[in-house]
Amino acid sequence: MENVSTEVKMESFQAFQSTIRKSENALANMSQKGSNTTLLDKRLNALYIGLAMLETAWNLKPHHYTEEDLTEARNVLAGLLPLLDNMYDKSKTGSPQKTLIERRIKAFELAVQAMDDVVEK
C-alpha cells in the first residue's frame, strides 16, 4: 500500500464511517417501506469490509474476511468509483459536497488497493 499521510488516513476512516451511517439509515428506511434491499445490503457489506481493510493496513488490526469476501467487496467498491466520479464532475467547485465526494473516492481507492494487497499475498 502506498505511503499515506495521517490526515488522509483520518479522512478516509471518516469517509467510510459517514457512508456506512448513511447506508444504515437508508437500509432502515427501505426495510420499513418493504423495499428491495439486496443492492444496499451488498454495498453496506462492502463498506464494512473496506473500512476493516484500511484498519488492517494502517493499524495492523486483524480481520476475519475470506479471500472471496475481499474479492466481492473489492468489486463492489470499484464499481462505485465511476458513479462517484460522475457525481464529482457534476458538483460545484469548492462546495462541501465536492470535498466529501473527493475524500470518498480516495478512501474507496485506498480500500481497493488494501484488498488487492491482501489477496495478492
Side-chain angles (χ1 to χ4, degrees):
M1 163 147 300
E2 67 183 71
N3 195 7
V4 180
S5 72
T6 303
E7 182 181 358
V8 170
K9 288 178 184 180
M10 189 177 73
E11 289 172 352
S12 295
F13 285 136
Q14 289 172 345
F16 264 98
Q17 291 164 345
S18 170
T19 308
I20 288 169
R21 258 191 324 275
K22 289 177 182 182
S23 298
E24 288 172 340
N25 289 337
L27 183 63
N29 290 333
M30 289 174 70
S31 296
Q32 286 177 343
K33 294 177 184 177
S35 301
N36 186 345
T37 60
T38 306
L39 179 62
L40 189 52
D41 283 328
K42 195 175 204 177
R43 286 181 177 174
L44 192 53
N45 188 50
L47 292 168
Y48 291 138
I49 294 172
L51 179 58
M53 288 301 96
L54 293 182
E55 289 175 340
T56 297
W58 296 332
N59 298 336
L60 303 177
K61 186 175 178 185
H63 69 86
H64 62 276
Y65 298 105
T66 65
E67 189 172 319
E68 184 178 319
D69 293 335
L70 297 178
T71 301
E72 185 175 332
R74 183 220 178 276
N75 292 338
V76 170
L77 292 180
L80 290 173
L81 287 172
L83 298 172
L84 290 171
D85 285 335
N86 190 22
M87 290 169 57
Y88 181 81
D89 292 340
K90 291 180 181 180
S91 59
K92 293 181 182 176
T93 304
S95 70
Q97 188 68 21
K98 192 163 192 121
T99 302
L100 178 95
I101 295 167
E102 189 176 296
R103 289 177 182 167
R104 199 169 282 171
I105 289 169
K106 183 66 176 172
F108 284 17
E109 288 172 343
L110 290 168
V112 166
Q113 184 181 354
M115 287 181 222
D116 288 344
D117 290 349
V118 169
V119 170
E120 289 173 5
K121 287 184 179 178

